[in-house]
Amino acid sequence: MTSFDPQRLDSPSTQPGLDEARLFELLEQPELWPEDPAAQAELATLLELHLALGSHGPSLAEGLAPAPRTRWTTSWSLAAAAILLVALVPTFTILQRTQSLKAQAQDTARLEQLAQKRTQDRAWIAFFRQSTTLLQDFEQNPALCKKGEEDRRQEREMAMALLEASHQLAAQGAPLKEAEVIRASLHSWLSEVAFEENCLTVERARELRQWAAAHNLETESERMERRLRGEGA
């Protein structure tokens, strides 16, 4: 089927004897169409446009006409209607493409937020797990630096790393209010351990263990890790 050129309808030389009114009359009377193949192709194209506009014309007219139309009439010229349809097709395509891109952007943003939340949750889980390990290690009897002094070098280094992680977690926000409360309690204890010397007196080491036990830090840290992992309270 040949492509439709609206200018051909306004040119008497291209369609002699078939003015606009006659073309409109012939649309729904194929038996009266002229024998000329070019004219038949033109009429067939116009018939498709006519049927499409007959179906969607009222809504298009309401959206585009300067004043509301109560009905779709034959006063619309076929050329104008065809131009309107041709002009609207790219617009519809752009709108659909825009909506598709918007939906994709929303999906991407949602996935990025979900990925970010999972990353943050993993950081909190690791913090509580490693804090639990440190608290358990602090209960063990270490090697002695000398008589009356415990070698807590490894525990101190781990406490310093966890203290830095605690600062970062506090800045990004906790997934649960309770997690922030437990982090703050651990942070205070970690600060004491991190700022001690590598070798602690037996008395000072005992004080730090008693502090952790009084605040139930090991149990709370372990419980919060399980909760964030989705394993219950």
Side-chain angles (χ1 to χ4, degrees), residues 80-132:
I83 293 172
L84 174 64
L85 185 61
V86 171
L88 285 176
V89 169
T91 302
F92 291 154
T93 302
I94 292 173
L95 288 175
Q96 291 174 348
R97 178 60 176 167
T98 301
Q99 292 173 349
S100 176
L101 291 174
K102 183 178 179 180
Q104 291 178 13
Q106 290 174 341
D107 288 342
T108 300
R110 180 179 57 82
L111 291 175
E112 288 178 349
Q113 290 175 354
L114 182 60
Q116 182 179 10
K117 183 181 184 303
R118 288 178 176 173
T119 299
Q120 292 175 345
D121 287 349
R122 285 195 293 268
W124 279 88
I125 290 170
F127 172 76
F128 288 122
R129 181 174 61 249
Q130 293 171 15
S131 295
T132 300

Side-chain angles (χ1 to χ4, degrees), residues 5-47:
D5 181 359
Q7 294 181 352
R8 294 181 62 187
L9 294 176
D10 298 329
S11 174
S13 61
T14 56
Q15 293 294 333
L18 294 178
D19 58 17
E20 187 176 288
R22 181 56 177 162
L23 283 170
F24 189 85
E25 291 176 1
L26 290 174
L27 284 183
E28 297 181 355
Q29 303 179 59
E31 68 277 3
L32 299 180
W33 288 8
E35 297 296 332
D36 179 39
Q40 290 187 2
E42 194 79 22
L43 285 165
T45 301
L46 288 174
L47 179 58

Side-chain angles (χ1 to χ4, degrees), residues 3 5 23 37 63 88 114 126 141 154 159 162 172-173 193 220 229:
S3 60
D5 181 359
L23 283 170
L88 285 176
L114 182 60
N141 294 323
Q154 292 183 355
L162 287 171
Q172 76 180 27
V193 177
E220 289 297 285
R229 289 171 62 90

